Amino acid sequence: MKGKTIQVKTYSNWLKTDLHIHSIASNIMKKNDYTGDSYTAKELIDKLKENKVNLFSITDHNIINIDLYKSLFKLLKAN
């Protein structure tokens, strides 16, 4: 590798995370679990970007918000 320069990162890459996000679907299995407003995938992504969150998880109780997941996959795939 004569004459080639190799750049090596000498720092950590920190990720801002939110691993406990509920959606309105949580209320189906556990009444009053989620007290916020209903939101769309775009609204969620916009808010996460605004707060510079790099990694997130939807953690509804005993239910999967399939519509939200489908919308998130579609939105994130388009970007």
Side-chain angles (χ1 to χ4, degrees), residues 22 25-34 61-63:
H22 289 253
S26 278
N27 292 338
I28 294 170
M29 299 303 289
K30 189 176 178 186
K31 297 293 181 208
N32 299 318
D33 183 59
Y34 176 73
H61 289 280
N62 302 320
I63 193 166

Side-chain angles (χ1 to χ4, degrees), residues 14-70:
W14 292 82
L15 297 177
K16 189 171 182 183
T17 63
D18 187 341
L19 300 178
H20 198 105
I21 299 175
H22 289 253
S23 76
I24 199 77
S26 278
N27 292 338
I28 294 170
M29 299 303 289
K30 189 176 178 186
K31 297 293 181 208
N32 299 318
D33 183 59
Y34 176 73
T35 58
D37 294 329
S38 182
Y39 56 82
T40 66
K42 183 173 180 346
E43 290 170 327
L44 176 60
I45 294 299
D46 288 346
K47 186 58 75 173
L48 293 169
K49 284 181 179 179
E50 177 184 319
N51 289 284
K52 297 179 175 50
V53 174
N54 307 97
L55 178 68
F56 70 98
S57 176
I58 307 298
T59 55
D60 292 323
H61 289 280
N62 302 320
I63 193 166
I64 297 173
N65 188 336
I66 294 171
D67 292 334
L68 179 58
Y69 273 89
K70 284 181 179 179

